[in-house]
């Protein structure tokens, strides 16, 4: 089942001296073979095996994680810049854009990203197994399902004003937010196309083009937003329409890259009617993925909502908002490692490399934890001054300083929990993790936080303590399951899954 590319790579690279390989490193499929060969080479001592394997895996991991972090950061900046532009129009416009971006749009983003992780599992495993043509089929199936999901989401956007009024927002803010939300309707379907494409490329370790495209889209978005808002006077609707257009530019550029590049010539062979088969099973996996990620992404947002019910909620909300913003930026790094871990594990399982899959988990978790620990220390060191980047008030600064230890713990957990979630996606454990998230987050974390915050009057610190407790339990469960996994059995499960999803069609390359 090895492709010509893999055979050529093996002949040209594996038989070269290892030092030459390190210097000429590129993440071709043969890296996977070299890692498995190194871990299985009993002629080397355990120390040298681990040392060489660590160097190989670190190169591969950071080649994937670094561009992924850039992509998520730039995509986040595109939405944030729109919010900033709207803020210069007035307080009402800022409130409307914030409500549209952080409320309704975040819901759609989390749902679409979650459903997109189904194609991440299948594409990664199929690529490792050299079933290249199936990647294009999975991409099309996922896009069809996400586009269909966009239709009920569009209805929510259309009726955003009455929904916001029902939730207690003032009529003025609800009306302005609805205008902004109407312009975001095309963005729903851009999400539906973008996330499958993004995961399709990541599964093949093609990550730098997405980073370059996101950077260019951000620069273009800033220019178009400035023209639409300040020169043409299109206001809130113009701002959100430009935001939607920017996301479609990202989609179009990535698709053009897929069609034009030689790197995808075996994984994208054109549109196929086979994409319409097996949609029900694909929907079930996508739904489990969506539930898993949505429950996770909404969890920490609930802190801010609950804090609004506290006594003297204004200071608590200001301090929590600052801490959540800092946490969100650090979380972007964790998301990059999440994507990298998913790709590495799924590729190795598809390639029938159980030792490499297990080793990838250890290296990804260790690397992300070390980086998270550095940021956690920085949070504690800068706890008295970091709030002044957002506000000049000493009262809020003192509140942020008190919450800093909780922020540091949350940042530290970012070094483990998202990576293990990425491993779960790589293995196809989405349904299991969804159940774990429900139990730990919504039956432990939130109730415990409410009890500590309101019953024992610990305020924001009590709410956050309960939420941390839920995350710790979830992390411990995922660690236990991951590190007790029989990776040889996971390889067999992957083979069976790929055979089932392939619809008994022979792979493109034999």
């Amino acid at each position: 089942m090895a492709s010509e590319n893999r055979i050529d790579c093996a002949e040209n690279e594996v038989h070269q001296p290892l030092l030459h390989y390190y210097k000429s490193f590129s993440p071709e499929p043969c890296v996977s073979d070299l890692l498995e060969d190194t871990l299985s080479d009993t002629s080397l001592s355990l120390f040298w095996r681990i040392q060489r394997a660590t160097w190989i895996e670190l190169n591969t991991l950071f080649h994937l994680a670094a561009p992924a972090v850039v992509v998520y950061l730039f995509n986040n900046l595109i939405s944030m810049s729109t919010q900033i532009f709207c803020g210069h129009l007035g307080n009402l416009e800022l409130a409307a854009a914030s409500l549209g971006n952080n409320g309704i749009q975040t819901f759609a983003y989390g749902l679409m990203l979650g459903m997109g992780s189904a194609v991440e599992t299948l594409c990664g495993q199929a690529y490792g197994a050299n079933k290249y043509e199936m990647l294009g089929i999975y991409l099309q199936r996922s896009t069809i399902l996400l586009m269909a999901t966009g239709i009920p989401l569009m209805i929510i956007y259309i009726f955003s004003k009455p929904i916001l009024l029902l939730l207690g927002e003032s009529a003025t803010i609800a009306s302005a937010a609805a205008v902004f939300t109407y312009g975001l309707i095309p963005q729903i379907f851009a999400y539906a196309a973008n996330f499958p494409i993004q995961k399709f490329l990541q599964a093949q370790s093609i990550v730098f083009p997405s980073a370059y495209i996101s950077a260019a889209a951000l620069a273009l978005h800033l220019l178009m937003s400035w023209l639409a808002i300040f020169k043409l006077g299109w206001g809130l609707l113009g701002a959100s329409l430009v935001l939607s257009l920017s996301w479609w530019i990202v989609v179009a550029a990535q698709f053009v890259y897929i069609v034009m590049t030689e790197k995808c010539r075996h994984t994208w062979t054109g549109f196929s009617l086979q994409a319409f088969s097996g949609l029900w099973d694909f929907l079930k996996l996508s739904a489990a993925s969506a539930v898993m990620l949505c429950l996770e992404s909404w969890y920490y947002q609930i802190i801010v909502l609950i804090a609004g019910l506290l006594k003297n909620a204004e200071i608590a909300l200001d301090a929590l908002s600052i801490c959540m913003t800092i946490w969100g930026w650090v979380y972007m790094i964790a998301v990059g490692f999440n994507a990298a871990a998913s790709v590495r594990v799924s590729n190795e399982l598809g390639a029938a490399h159980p030792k490499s899959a297990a080793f990838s988990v250890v290296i990804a978790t260790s690397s992300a934890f070390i980086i998270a620990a550095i940021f956690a220390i920085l949070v504690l060191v800068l706890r008295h001054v970091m709030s002044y980047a957002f506000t000049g008030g000493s009262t809020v600064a003192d509140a942020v300083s008190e919450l800093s230890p909780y922020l540091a713990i949350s940042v530290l957990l970012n070094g483990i929990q998202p990576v293990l979630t990425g491993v779960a996606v790589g293995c196809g454990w989405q349904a299991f993790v969804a159940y774990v998230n429900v139990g730990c987050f919504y039956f432990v974390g939130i109730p415990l936080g409410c009890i500590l915050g309101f019953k024992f009057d610990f305020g924001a610190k009590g709410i956050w303590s309960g939420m941390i407790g839920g995350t710790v339990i979830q992390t411990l469960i995922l660690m236990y399951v991951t590190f007790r996994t029989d990776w040889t059995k996971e390889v067999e499960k992957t083979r069976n899954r790929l055979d089932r999803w392939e619809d008994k069609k022979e792979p493109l390359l034999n």
Side-chain angles (χ1 to χ4, degrees), residues 445-467:
I446 293 174
L448 181 60
C450 291
I451 291 172
L452 293 175
F454 296 99
K455 180 69 174 178
F456 291 94
D457 203 26
F458 290 153
K461 291 185 285 188
I463 295 171
W464 205 336
S465 295
M467 306 288 270

Side-chain angles (χ1 to χ4, degrees), residues 228-268:
I229 296 171
F230 298 115
K231 293 301 179 181
L232 300 177
W234 290 354
L236 282 173
L237 183 60
S240 55
L241 284 172
V242 168
L243 180 57
S244 295
L245 176 61
S246 297
W247 273 93
W248 271 109
I249 289 173
V250 171
V251 171
Q254 290 185 130
F255 185 70
V256 168
Y257 176 84
I258 289 172
V259 173
M260 300 298 292
T261 183
E262 282 292 305
K263 292 184 177 180
C264 298
R265 67 186 184 277
H266 295 311
T267 54
W268 176 260

Side-chain angles (χ1 to χ4, degrees), residues 164-178:
L164 291 172
L165 289 173
L166 187 64
L167 294 174
E169 294 293 338
S170 69
T172 304
I173 294 179
S175 297

